[in-house]
Amino acid sequence: MKVWPILLLCIGLFTAGCGDDHGAPPHTAAEEKAVNDVKNATPEQQIERAQNSPMPQSAKDALIKSIKDKNGIK
């Protein structure tokens, strides 16, 4: 049967392009800077950003509480 070699060739071609890039495109320089700014923000800066965000108030309250809990702020 000549179907098996063709079938194996098709499977090989389909799986050859499957890499593990985690599906994330590379960041631009501006995006990378924004990510680093968020990571390096103080708890007070994080709380201020949460208060000024367009999220619903209940989500803001939960986020602020989690920031305070994580950083031992009362």
Side-chain angles (χ1 to χ4, degrees), residues 12-74:
L13 290 174
F14 285 122
T15 59
C18 296
D20 190 17
D21 64 353
H22 302 289
H27 292 267
T28 65
E31 291 171 334
E32 193 67 33
K33 182 182 179 320
V35 168
N36 288 333
D37 288 348
V38 169
K39 286 181 181 178
N40 296 326
T42 65
E44 292 78 14
Q45 290 171 325
Q46 293 173 16
I47 291 169
E48 182 179 344
R49 286 182 184 153
Q51 289 171 337
N52 295 328
S53 74
M55 296 187 301
Q57 189 60 44
S58 60
K60 288 181 188 182
D61 294 342
L63 179 58
I64 291 169
K65 182 181 181 325
S66 70
I67 293 168
K68 287 181 177 182
D69 290 348
K70 184 173 92 175
N71 293 289
I73 299 171
K74 297 207 180 228

